[in-house]
Amino acid sequence: RVQVVESGGSSVQAGGSLRLSCTVSGGTFDDYSMAWFRQVPGKEREGVASISWDAYVSYYRDSVKGRFTISRDNAKNTVYLQMDSLKPEDTANYVCAAGYRIKLTSAEPPMDYWGKGTLVTVSS
């Protein structure tokens, strides 16, 4: 059974940085494209960034381009989201997801396995 577990969420001031981590177990990590989503209560979940199994392809939603970077370490079964120049509107529960052999075409791919999320709060 594939499990997805996030960590790294915290409270920071606007302009600060955070790095989120997501570890996958129970499957062959190289088989999965990975993505970060975020959700605010009362709003729809939105894709933030996605990365292919070999890290050759990545996508970002427009509002985070130039500020967020997605990366992965296949030897550690881990995907990261480096978030810089954080803004209050980045406040959300950040959820990591894995998609089995999915060909990426956007920052919001259809995924198979989901974590529970890690909370990021950015204060002004």
Side-chain angles (χ1 to χ4, degrees):
R1 178 170 169 267
V2 176
Q3 290 189 306
V4 180
V5 179
E6 307 91 337
S7 62
S10 182
S11 296
V12 296
Q13 289 194 327
S17 297
L18 279 177
R19 189 176 82 155
L20 306 183
S21 299
C22 168
T23 301
V24 177
S25 61
T28 302
F29 190 62
D30 293 10
D31 282 337
Y32 293 91
S33 294
M34 300 297 298
W36 287 96
F37 293 74
R38 64 187 181 188
Q39 188 160 24
V40 175
K43 294 187 177 181
E44 286 191 6
R45 182 176 62 202
E46 60 184 27
V48 176
S50 62
I51 188 168
S52 60
W53 70 272
D54 55 5
Y56 279 11
V57 176
S58 60
Y59 291 92
Y60 297 90
R61 71 179 301 107
D62 287 346
S63 61
V64 307
K65 285 180 181 176
R67 300 189 298 121
F68 290 12
T69 304
I70 190 170
S71 62
R72 64 189 293 159
D73 185 338
N74 286 356
K76 295 183 178 180
N77 288 8
T78 301
V79 61
Y80 305 98
L81 186 67
Q82 178 66 41
M83 305 186 295
D84 299 317
S85 302
L86 282 161
K87 304 176 181 180
E89 52 263 43
D90 294 319
T91 294
N93 187 42
Y94 282 73
V95 180
C96 180
Y100 183 72
R101 295 186 179 178
I102 286 177
K103 182 179 179 180
L104 296 179
T105 58
S106 75
E108 266 186 36
M111 307 302 272
D112 299 307
Y113 302 99
W114 298 81
K116 295 182 179 180
T118 185
L119 186 61
V120 172
T121 303
V122 185
S123 58
S124 57

